[in-house]
Amino acid sequence: MIKDLQQVTVYDQRKYSEKVLYLTLEKTMDFIPGQVIGLALSAEKELRYYSIASEPGQKIGILYDLIETGVLTPQLNQLKNGMELYMTQPFGSFLSTKENEVWIATGTGIAPFLSMAKAGLGYKKTLIHGAKKKEDFLFSEVFRSQKEINYIRCSSQERGEGLIPGRLTQYLISQDFSPDTNFLLCGGPQMVVDVREILISKNISHDRILSEIYF
Ligand SMILES: Cc1cc2nc3c(=O)[nH]c(=O)nc-3n(C[C@H](O)[C@H](O)[C@H](O)COP(=O)(O)OP(=O)(O)OC[C@H]3O[C@@H](n4cnc5c(N)ncnc54)[C@H](O)[C@@H]3O)c2cc1C
């Protein structure tokens, strides 16, 4: 991973649910939707990595889970407008193409797909988002407003209009996919392992599965 740090200023910080925040940095730079940045509070500290959730051409934004016992996120949560931190250049190869793709995310793993959708990459895409409750489907209004995205929400704990009951993995087991479909997976390690296993059992080849693991 790279470490050419530059100082950046916090532009805004918003709470999206009890433990999910969106941090906007006073910085516009070139990136491709799906890329990540490294962040640290000082140049000596170990970096943590975050998918860019914002649209190219706009300020850099990240969506993060507050991990109470974590090293960086409790400190990110304290940041106020005008405060400074350190950031790497955007990097990574978790990128969308013009092909048929199924985007699969749990929780804040929705971030790179938010950037992709805002960048107009939703054509021929299915987005399957897994979360506990309706309120956890962050930015659903963005995905619902983009009619070319087949947007599917799997809710493990809530029933309601527009929600498929059960875990995302249960939904995937019930589906058939064309072998020429590409899959982009983003979220925690367990989800990625489970989903890969399901897809491989459905004869999707390894090279059609791209994963971004939040560890
Ligand atoms: C390529 C990449 C992209 C990432 N993008 C994002 C992102 O867009 N948003 C985001 O919130 N995180 C993302 N992460 C995870 C992020 O880098 C940090 O690990 C996370 O924010 C915890 O940092 P911390 O210092 O607070 O906790 P730490 O002290 O590093 O770790 C605390 C514990 O929390 C676990 N953990 C890490 N991430 C999560 C999570 N999201 N939910 C629950 N437990 C977690 C770790 O495995 C560890 O056991 C990404 C990781 C990688 C490698």
Side-chain angles (χ1 to χ4, degrees), residues 48-51 63-65 67 70-73 213-215:
R48 297 288 186 269
Y49 298 92
Y50 297 91
S51 302
L63 187 66
Y64 70 93
D65 286 299
I67 315 279
V71 172
L72 183 66
T73 53
I213 305 176
Y214 290 0
F215 54 81

Side-chain angles (χ1 to χ4, degrees), residues 173-191:
I173 289 168
S174 71
Q175 298 298 298
D176 290 321
F177 299 104
S178 155
D180 63 359
T181 308
N182 293 325
F183 292 82
L184 273 72
L185 281 46
C186 187
Q190 195 57 54
M191 180 280 274

